[in-house]
Amino acid sequence: DPHVRSVVTTAIDAGRYICELDPARAAARDAALRARARGGAPSTAADLIPPLRVGAVAVGTPAAGERFVQPWIEADGRRVLLDDATGQGWRLFVCGAALAAQARAAQARAAVAALAPLDVAIVDVTTIADDGTLARWFAERGVGAALVRPDAYVFGTAGDDLDALTTAARGALALRPPHVAIRQEHTE
C-alpha cells in the first residue's frame, strides 16, 4: 500500500533527525526545520501523514483524502478539541458560507438519510466557536460541505450540491440504495 509505505518512510526520516547526536548536524537540522516551517511546510506530526489517494475517498473532490482539521473549540463552556465535541464517527460538516441555511439543512438531512448505514452526524460549522480554522479550511478549498470518515480523513467534499458526494460515498462504500427492501426467497 503506497500510503503505508509513505507513513513508514516519514517515520523513519523523523527518527533520523530526532536522534541526531552530532551537535553540528543537529544545528543544521534545526535551521532547516525552522526554514521549512516559515515556508508553510507541515508543522505538526499529523501534518506529516500524507493524504490518502486510493480507497474509500472521493478522489477528484477538493481535500479528498486529507486529514480534517482538529481545532480547539468552545463547547458547553469548555475548551475541547473538535472531535471531543462532534464525536469520531462519520460526520458531514456543512459551512454556511457556501450554502444557504435552509437549503444546507435540507440537503444535509437528505444526504444523511441516503447514507443511513453510516450513522452520519451533521455538524454546522457556523455554530462552532473556534479561532476561524474551520471557516478558513472551507474557504481555502472553495467547498460548502465535507464528509469526514471516523479516522478523521476527508472522504470527499461538495460545493452547493451534496448529491454527487452522497453518490460517491454510496458507490465507494457499496451501500445499498435507501428504502429498498431485501427480498429473501424461501425454499421448502
Side-chain angles (χ1 to χ4, degrees):
D1 179 330
H3 187 256
V4 171
R5 280 193 285 280
S6 181
V7 170
V8 169
T9 300
T10 300
I12 290 169
D13 290 345
R16 286 187 183 128
Y17 68 76
I18 290 170
C19 298
E20 182 57 64
L21 299 176
D22 180 88
R25 287 197 288 212
R29 171 210 57 210
D30 293 348
L33 287 173
R34 284 188 200 95
R36 279 184 50 199
R38 283 190 298 273
S43 59
T44 69
D47 293 332
L48 294 173
I49 298 172
L52 298 172
R53 298 287 179 226
V54 296
V57 293
V59 176
T61 66
E66 288 181 14
R67 302 262 308 163
F68 195 62
V69 291
Q70 182 65 258
W72 287 96
I73 67 170
E74 293 295 323
D76 299 325
R78 298 176 318 151
R79 188 171 183 248
V80 298
L81 289 170
L82 180 67
D83 284 356
D84 293 333
T86 63
Q88 296 176 343
W90 284 90
R91 293 162 292 165
L92 178 64
F93 288 89
V94 292
C95 184
L99 299 170
Q102 286 190 336
R104 179 180 69 244
Q107 282 193 36
R109 284 191 303 274
V112 166
L115 300 173
L118 301 180
D119 193 24
V120 178
I122 301 170
V123 181
D124 186 342
V125 171
T126 63
T127 65
I128 296 177
D130 72 339
D131 63 358
T133 298
L134 289 164
R136 274 191 309 277
W137 189 92
F138 281 91
E140 288 170 0
R141 287 151 183 84
V143 298
L147 181 59
V148 178
R149 301 168 8 157
D151 60 3
Y153 280 93
V154 175
F155 170 81
T157 57
D160 292 335
D161 186 3
L162 298 179
D163 289 342
L165 180 59
T166 302
T167 299
R170 295 187 62 70
L173 301 169
L175 299 176
R176 295 184 198 277
H179 311 296
V180 173
I182 299 172
R183 294 177 45 194
Q184 292 182 342
E185 293 184 29
H186 296 284
T187 57
E188 295 182 27

